[in-house]
Amino acid sequence: MAPSRNRRPGFSRRAQYGLFLGYVIAVAGSLVGAVLLALATLDPPAFAALRASMAEVTTPVSSGIAGVGRGIASVPSSIGSYVAVRDKNVALQKQLDDIHAMLMRARSLSYENRRLKSLLHMREYIAGPVVAARLVSSSAASTRRYAVLNAGSWQGVRVGQPVRGPEGLIGRILETGPNSSRVLLLSDPESIVPVRRTRDGLPALAAGRGDGLLDIRSAASAAIAFEPGDVFVTSGAGGIYSPNVPVAQVIRRSRDIALARTYAQPDTLDFALVQQAFMPPEPPAPAPPSKSAPAP
């Protein structure tokens, strides 16, 4: 028998109240969505303040959910480590030996670098860290790429400060609240970072694409060849990002514009370091002209 077209809940009070409550919730949700859309279009500063307030409310919940998720996700890896403990110990011992050899090589290079710098009387300005905080969430499905940091203005975080992780640069602070802040990631379309190629010092610009990757464009001249594996670090130009911080690596051969992958992946990071904005050294003041002795 075909179902009846009559949608009335009958004489049940509970069914009638449930249907009425469903309609009320749907209408209220539509009204709230329309008000938020109008507020974001007509008054962006007020919408930003409302969004910051919501972030203050949801950041503790996100932190708790992220902790529970990390605990649940670590159970399979713990079981696998327990089963394959012998093979893993052998691999870790080999990795430790390789790291020890790299450490010895890095110490010798660091000593030679310090000696050359002392000979050239160079001064290096390094932006000091502000705070180390946890990345509680990051956008992965939208064209706009943001992350939420559980530190804000009460911890000394300011708009425009760079954010980096153990692997390299993550982005910069876009908005701050008392105990949370939003980070503009490198892969966001609004992000542009001055960089240079490590093998020849080629100046370039790293621009976000919105899909998790970067476009590398040469800032010196056109028709520049990019090779897979080319590494780009911050150049220090612009006064925001300190120099020599790893940014991205080219993934395929191209000319003029190269496709690159960022070193730091926010969705795999737990903690990030907020630094002071870098200020390049001022040029030396010109020496005053020497006064010549008056003729007798």
Side-chain angles (χ1 to χ4, degrees), residues 203-214:
L205 295 175
R209 293 166 48 95
D211 58 356
L213 300 176
L214 303 180

Side-chain angles (χ1 to χ4, degrees), residues 187-213:
S187 56
D188 188 87
E190 299 294 330
S191 173
I192 298 178
V193 180
V195 296
R196 64 176 179 85
R197 191 160 56 184
T198 55
R199 63 184 173 92
D200 57 1
L202 174 72
L205 295 175
R209 293 166 48 95
D211 58 356
L213 300 176

Side-chain angles (χ1 to χ4, degrees), residues 9-275:
F11 297 97
S12 174
R13 293 285 186 178
R14 180 176 301 177
Q16 292 177 358
Y17 288 155
L19 182 62
F20 177 75
L21 183 61
Y23 284 128
V24 170
I25 293 175
V27 172
S30 301
L31 291 177
V32 171
V35 170
L36 291 177
L37 181 61
L39 183 62
T41 304
L42 301 177
D43 193 359
F47 183 74
L50 178 61
R51 183 169 51 194
S53 301
M54 292 300 297
E56 288 293 325
V57 175
T58 58
T59 295
V61 180
S62 300
S63 301
I65 294 175
V68 174
R70 284 191 298 271
I72 295 175
S74 65
V75 173
S77 62
S78 300
I79 296 175
S81 300
Y82 178 78
V83 173
V85 62
R86 181 180 179 83
D87 294 336
K88 196 166 186 178
N89 284 338
V90 173
L92 288 176
Q93 184 62 41
K94 183 179 181 302
Q95 184 179 5
L96 184 61
D97 295 337
D98 295 338
I99 291 176
H100 182 71
M102 293 176 60
L103 179 61
M104 295 297 102
R105 191 180 311 157
R107 284 180 177 176
S108 63
L109 292 176
S110 178
Y111 171 76
E112 184 179 0
N113 192 24
R114 289 197 303 268
R115 184 173 60 86
L116 292 175
K117 284 184 178 181
S118 63
L119 292 175
L120 296 175
H121 302 284
M122 295 179 61
R123 292 186 62 188
E124 188 175 38
Y125 289 81
I126 301 177
V130 176
V131 66
R134 184 184 294 274
L135 286 170
V136 297
S137 64
S138 61
S139 59
S142 173
T143 55
R144 301 306 305 270
R145 298 302 174 104
Y146 302 107
V148 178
L149 200 69
N150 66 345
S153 57
W154 288 356
Q155 289 78 29
V157 179
R158 300 291 180 266
V159 174
Q161 291 176 339
V163 182
R164 62 171 301 179
E167 292 84 7
L169 189 65
I170 298 175
R172 59 183 173 88
I173 300 296
L174 184 64
E175 296 176 1
T176 60
N179 284 306
S180 65
S181 54
R182 300 183 73 201
V183 180
L184 182 71
L185 301 179
L186 294 179
S187 56
D188 188 87
E190 299 294 330
S191 173
I192 298 178
V193 180
V195 296
R196 64 176 179 85
R197 191 160 56 184
T198 55
R199 63 184 173 92
D200 57 1
L202 174 72
L205 295 175
R209 293 166 48 95
D211 58 356
L213 300 176
L214 303 180
D215 283 334
I216 306 294
R217 297 180 175 86
S218 172
S221 60
I224 297 297
F226 297 95
E227 299 295 333
D230 283 349
V231 177
F232 287 85
V233 297
T234 54
S235 63
I240 297 180
Y241 306 102
S242 58
N244 301 323
V245 179
V247 176
Q249 186 176 20
V250 176
I251 59 179
R252 65 168 174 255
R253 182 180 290 105
S254 60
R255 299 184 67 87
D256 297 337
I257 300 178
L259 191 65
R261 180 180 291 108
T262 59
Y263 273 103
Q265 300 294 329
D267 53 349
T268 62
L269 294 175
D270 286 336
F271 289 92
L273 184 67
V274 182
Q275 292 182 310

